[in-house]
Amino acid sequence: MSQSSDTAANSPRTLDAWLSHCERLHPVTIDMGLERVGQVWQRAGITLGTPLGREEEGLEGPVVFTVAGTNGKGSTCAMLEGILLNAGFKTGVYGSPHLVHFEERCRIMGEPVKAADLVPHFEAIEAARGDTALTYFEFTTLAILRLLATSGLDAVILEVGLGGRLDAVNVIDTDCAVITSIDLDHMDYLGPDREAIGREKAGIMRAGRPAVVSDPQPPQSVVDHATQLGADLWLFGRDHNYAGDRQQWSWGGRNKRFNGMAYPALRGANQLLNASGVLAALEAMRNRLPVSAQAVRTGLATVELPGRFQIIPGQPTLILDVAHNPHAAATLAVNLDQMGFFPRTHVVWGAMADKDAAGMISKLRPLVDAWYCCDLPTARAATAEQLKQAIEAEMSAKPMATAPKATVSTHADPMAALKAALAAADPTDRIVVFGSFYTVGGVLHDGLPKLNAPHMPGA
């Protein structure tokens, strides 16, 4: 008997039960391709956005933005969401993975969706799939897309999980594609270099529709694909740009300008690049989603996104960052370097086994006094011992006169590593938690940690 023939009596009743069901459906975690997803979506009978070639049929639903890239996708989605909400538009967002709770993957009007509201959409996808095997990611993505399609929204923002061309969200014809920074990651699936990876990211573009690129040096494959397809390409430096000093920044697009803006609430060296792409996308869609200068200012000033260079004041200071590849680690290093003086930097690190561990280590080594490597609750993760060995190998192979002599230890999970770091830290130090959504999520599981060094005076 196939899973699809379960009777109503023993079909899942809760979100957790449905997620467990989805985990059992397919033998592999990642199975690239849109054929199965497209068939199930078609059978589900739901439309989201405007299908290509049917613009004149009066089928316009919410404006769909699809965001791909190696780094900066989550920040771009959050800034788009914040501005559109402040402009008065009913807005929904889909992104993955989550930090703590699955419901974080879908926000409607800025709030995570309720578990009970997702259940009917899992039921509908189960009914539509028949005997078609879907991965966990594909099934859950389709359920969330169905929820977004039936929620009466003005705008929907879809974050690509992996690549672009063959990612499940690409079953939807986007109204506006946004491509953030492109670097080397997921090379087993996307190709060996930036050109190959760029070609996969460019797969979210659609003919005749805007394609905004916020990477200042995009692979030529992205530009070539847009040209061959006939997409309306918005390049950073040509169609949108920014300038700034220490106090404020300005942005210019093809026909719009915003001057004297406060910096976005999201911290970090790359956030103006992300914000520039966001404003270009909004200019490109201004006829359907007009936003005021005030909505832009307020949206950028109030945007929040956990785990993206998130600084939590305390003693010591805590920094949370989901950076999980060398490009993101380099940005994290720049951001840490710009924070000012801290006597010591303690780093809690957990990472996936397929990541370039040596690349991440080399970017952060000059700043780190103590590494606390941790195991993560997934088979995809490198063990804490493997990470420790990678650090020691990097330190042995590439001695650095400027790098502090760091200590390296291993721990059972992110919270155990954080507690060890806290026990060793002085109140004026800082602790950085990075390397994966699982790493940051592991220290957020019981809420936002407020650090208080145990050997503080009076503690």
Side-chain angles (χ1 to χ4, degrees):
M1 181 186 291
S2 73
Q3 273 108 341
S4 62
S5 59
D6 287 348
T7 63
N10 61 15
S11 65
R13 300 288 186 185
T14 65
L15 176 59
D16 284 345
W18 273 111
L19 295 177
S20 297
H21 173 70
C22 293
E23 287 172 348
R24 297 191 297 267
L25 283 180
H26 201 286
V28 297
T29 306
I30 299 171
D31 187 2
M32 303 291 279
L34 287 181
E35 185 178 352
R36 290 168 298 105
V37 176
Q39 289 171 354
V40 176
W41 181 248
Q42 201 166 25
R43 290 201 292 264
I46 303 295
T47 300
L48 180 57
T50 312
L52 208 59
R54 300 178 67 184
E55 292 86 350
E56 305 305 318
E57 296 180 28
L59 297 173
E60 281 190 0
V63 174
V64 176
F65 298 88
T66 302
V67 181
T70 306
N71 296 306
K73 297 190 298 288
S75 298
T76 294
C77 291
M79 286 190 265
L80 265 173
E81 176 191 28
I83 294 169
L84 288 168
L85 287 174
N86 274 281
F89 293 110
K90 290 186 69 178
T91 303
V93 183
Y94 167 57
S96 66
H98 57 275
L99 284 169
V100 180
H101 302 292
F102 180 87
E103 298 92 307
E104 297 168 29
R105 295 186 180 213
C106 181
R107 296 189 299 275
I108 292 181
M109 297 302 288
E111 296 295 326
V113 66
K114 292 181 173 58
D117 291 342
L118 278 167
V119 169
H121 301 284
F122 277 83
E123 292 170 349
I125 297 303
E126 176 72 351
R129 77 176 182 87
D131 291 322
T132 304
L134 295 174
T135 66
Y136 175 93
F137 177 76
E138 291 167 344
F139 197 121
T140 56
T141 297
L142 289 175
I144 291 173
L145 290 177
R146 190 178 188 276
L147 170 69
L148 291 167
T150 56
S151 294
L153 301 173
D154 301 311
V156 168
I157 302 161
L158 304 176
E159 179 185 348
V160 168
L162 175 63
R165 181 175 64 93
L166 300 177
D167 188 83
V169 302
N170 204 34
V171 74
I172 307 299
D173 285 323
T174 191
D175 293 296
C176 181
V178 182
I179 296 177
T180 64
S181 68
I182 296 172
D183 211 79
L184 302 180
D185 203 1
H186 300 295
M187 292 155 71
D188 289 349
Y189 297 99
L190 304 181
D193 51 39
R194 286 184 81 236
E195 291 297 329
I197 293 170
R199 202 170 293 114
E200 291 297 318
K201 308 289 186 190
I204 66 168
M205 298 176 180
R206 293 297 188 269
R209 298 186 180 179
V212 174
V213 178
S214 49
D215 189 320
Q217 295 180 304
Q220 188 60 39
S221 59
V222 172
V223 178
D224 291 346
H225 185 74
T227 303
Q228 292 159 8
L229 190 65
D232 176 20
L233 183 63
W234 291 59
L235 285 176
F236 180 82
R238 185 189 75 182
D239 302 283
H240 63 104
N241 211 336
Y242 73 84
D245 55 32
R246 298 182 73 86
Q247 304 300 320
Q248 58 188 18
W249 71 292
S250 301
W251 176 86
R254 289 181 181 173
N255 298 295
K256 274 185 91 68
R257 288 198 65 81
F258 295 107
N259 294 311
M261 290 189 289
Y263 279 83
L266 296 181
R267 298 175 173 92
N270 282 353
Q271 293 301 358
L272 288 187
L273 281 172
N274 295 330
S276 186
V278 164
L279 296 182
L282 291 171
E283 183 185 346
M285 300 310 297
R286 65 193 179 282
N287 291 338
R288 292 178 63 188
L289 294 172
V291 299
S292 67
Q294 189 56 49
V296 168
R297 293 172 189 277
T298 306
L300 292 178
T302 58
V303 63
E304 295 180 358
L305 190 63
R308 274 66 167 192
F309 199 62
Q310 182 181 5
I311 299 174
I312 302 169
Q315 294 181 310
T317 298
L318 177 65
I319 299 103
L320 307 177
D321 200 301
V322 295
H324 53 272
N325 53 53
H327 184 258
T331 300
L332 172 59
V334 170
N335 293 336
L336 291 171
D337 206 35
Q338 293 176 348
M339 281 183 71
F341 176 73
F342 291 84
R344 286 168 58 80
T345 298
H346 306 256
V347 169
V348 172
W349 185 37
M352 296 297 111
D354 61 349
K355 300 299 179 183
D356 179 1
M360 287 190 268
I361 295 162
S362 67
K363 305 300 183 189
L364 287 165
R365 261 187 72 201
L367 301 169
V368 181
D369 299 280
W371 296 85
Y372 304 79
C373 304
C374 60
D375 292 326
L376 298 176
T378 172
R380 290 180 52 221
T383 65
E385 184 60 36
Q386 287 170 332
L387 296 179
K388 178 174 184 281
Q389 290 173 7
I391 294 168
E392 291 171 342
E394 186 75 10
M395 290 194 295
S396 173
K398 301 173 186 173
M400 294 171 60
T402 56
K405 184 163 178 55
T407 59
V408 190
S409 55
T410 60
H411 305 273
D413 55 62
M415 189 53 83
L418 178 60
K419 287 177 179 174
L422 182 59
D426 287 328
T428 52
D429 291 347
R430 64 183 172 186
I431 299 175
V432 182
V433 179
F434 95 104
S436 166
F437 279 78
Y438 284 101
T439 318
V440 174
V443 304
L444 289 175
H445 199 271
D446 296 319
L448 210 57
K450 186 75 171 175
L451 300 192
N452 198 6
H455 46 289
M456 278 185 62

